[in-house]
Amino acid sequence: MSATPTPFNVALVGFGYAGRTFHAPLIDACPGLVLHSIVSSRPDEVRAAWPEARPARFEEALGDPAIALVVLATPNALHAPQAVAALNAGKAVVIDKPFALSLAEAEAVAAVARDRGRLLSVFHNRRWDADFLALQAEIAAGTLGPIRTFESHFDRFRPEVRDRWRERDEPGGGIWNDLGPHLIDQALVLFGRPLGVTCDLAVLRDGGQATDWAHAVLRYVDRRVILHADMTTPAPDLRFAVHGARASWLKSGLDVQEDQLKGGRPVGGEGWGVDPLPATIVEGETGARRPSPGPAGDYRAFYDGVAAALAGTGANPVPPEEALAVMEVLEAGLESHDRGAEIVLEPAP
């Protein structure tokens, strides 16, 4: 009988919303990982929330030979320099989305990981939303027929501007950098690289500083993909409207895992990731409607995959090449807005 593999020690860098709500509990729930250290300017909060984790400074974490993996849940402008420092210190690295501030920055980080022979992954956790898993299954089964129009929304009603870095006019701020990577990654998983990107960005809230409204169209040969995110919608019901040659797939409401994590629910406990509002399939010929249930969502799959990749028993769940593809579209969206025109993506080399 083989011995149980020793789990890998993790240093979580950043204990704001992303670090506290997503990464810490998901790392802790992974049998192959141990939440060893948390880098934060608020060590007392770290001790109160995770008494078994050691508060540390960034340099301490990088210099600790016991730490195998560094997870970056810091402001977007810090992603690239901190990732390079961690990779050069011999650590594997997970970066919260977006990968970096620019495609060039992200490519430079990926090059360091490649040169150092270290694992690098980006936290595109929305691949494991319940609704997205259900949609993937329906598309794979051919239920909807060839997809003609794919519309994906991440709408919220947050009329008051908050004083936080995500909502300030600074590098990495704004909703396109915050929610755009989720929308783009899901589209690329389904359909691959588009031919062109058209994007409109706006600041619509009174007193707003950073983009709070984003609308992009990805052009493919035989379909159009519409991605929308805003903080100005009082009825943020629509999540997906997917129209195929035979049927449509309509979905309201967001995946429940973020709310479950915010509420302190045990990760993987009863009801974890179960969608209370399954999508509806509408048949084109008859107009008949029926539910489209799918599997429960489970963000644990990301860190389970990271642990397996570190152990050499599985593949990186989000390899750098896939995260770079997201950055290409994200950056094309910014350029499209600035130019007021579609950005045609050059053929891949």
Side-chain angles (χ1 to χ4, degrees):
M1 187 173 181
S2 61
T4 302
T6 302
F8 297 94
N9 288 328
V10 180
L12 171 61
V13 183
F15 201 56
Y17 182 76
R20 180 191 297 264
T21 304
F22 287 93
H23 294 281
L26 292 172
I27 293 166
D28 184 65
C30 178
L33 302 175
V34 172
L35 185 57
H36 179 282
S37 301
I38 298 177
V39 176
S40 172
S41 60
R42 301 184 295 275
D44 291 342
E45 291 185 19
V46 169
R47 293 187 186 97
W50 295 96
E52 295 181 3
R54 182 191 68 172
R57 292 180 292 108
F58 185 59
E59 294 75 14
E60 286 180 313
L62 297 194
D64 189 342
I67 291 172
L69 172 66
V70 171
V71 174
L72 300 175
T74 47
N76 298 344
L78 297 177
H79 287 182
Q82 288 183 334
V84 168
L87 291 164
N88 282 329
K91 310 302 184 186
V93 173
V94 165
I95 306 176
D96 197 273
K97 55 76 197 167
F99 195 156
L101 291 183
S102 69
L103 177 59
E105 263 196 356
E107 288 173 335
V109 174
V112 174
R114 185 170 56 250
D115 292 343
R116 295 291 182 178
R118 291 292 179 261
L119 177 79
L120 173 64
S121 194
V122 178
F123 187 61
H124 286 304
N125 60 301
R126 296 284 175 178
R127 295 184 182 191
W128 294 278
D129 279 359
D131 50 18
F132 185 66
L133 294 174
L135 175 58
Q136 278 186 293
E138 296 290 5
I139 291 176
T143 310
L144 310 180
I147 303 303
R148 303 303 188 211
T149 304
F150 174 89
E151 189 168 350
S152 177
H153 281 245
F154 229 120
D155 304 335
R156 292 169 170 170
F157 185 57
R158 296 181 179 173
E160 301 298 325
V161 178
R162 297 167 60 189
D163 184 19
R164 58 178 190 156
W165 67 264
R166 295 179 191 276
E167 298 186 46
R168 298 189 195 115
D169 183 15
E170 60 183 54
I175 202 166
W176 182 239
N177 287 307
D178 186 24
L179 299 181
H182 287 318
L183 298 170
I184 294 166
D185 183 64
Q186 289 184 335
L188 298 190
V189 166
L190 291 175
F191 306 119
R193 189 169 182 260
L195 300 174
V197 179
T198 304
C199 187
D200 184 21
L201 307 173
V203 181
L204 298 184
R205 294 179 298 171
D206 293 338
Q209 300 178 36
T211 297
D212 54 23
W213 188 94
H215 190 89
V217 178
L218 312 188
R219 177 173 57 86
Y220 294 81
V221 170
D222 54 356
R223 68 179 56 91
R224 296 295 181 266
V225 169
I226 300 163
L227 308 178
H228 184 93
D230 70 48
M231 303 177 79
T232 62
T233 299
D237 294 349
L238 180 61
R239 177 64 184 93
F240 289 105
V242 183
H243 307 294
R246 288 195 288 274
S248 293
W249 194 88
L250 307 176
K251 179 69 178 73
S252 297
L254 290 175
D255 182 272
V256 299
Q257 290 176 87
E258 182 171 357
D259 283 343
Q260 289 177 331
L261 287 163
K262 285 195 296 185
R265 290 274 296 275
V267 176
E270 184 178 356
W272 183 262
V274 175
D275 192 344
L277 296 170
T280 298
I281 290 178
V282 183
E283 301 288 348
E285 289 291 336
T286 66
R289 293 175 175 248
R290 56 184 173 84
S292 172
D298 198 347
Y299 296 159
R300 291 178 299 174
F302 175 80
Y303 275 113
D304 287 345
V306 168
L310 286 171
T313 59
N316 186 340
V318 183
E321 298 77 27
E322 295 177 4
L324 287 171
V326 173
M327 286 301 305
E328 180 188 35
V329 175
L330 191 75
E331 190 165 282
L334 296 173
E335 185 179 354
S336 170
H337 170 74
D338 290 341
R339 290 192 188 182
E342 181 189 58
I343 302 302
V344 177
L345 301 186
E346 296 296 328

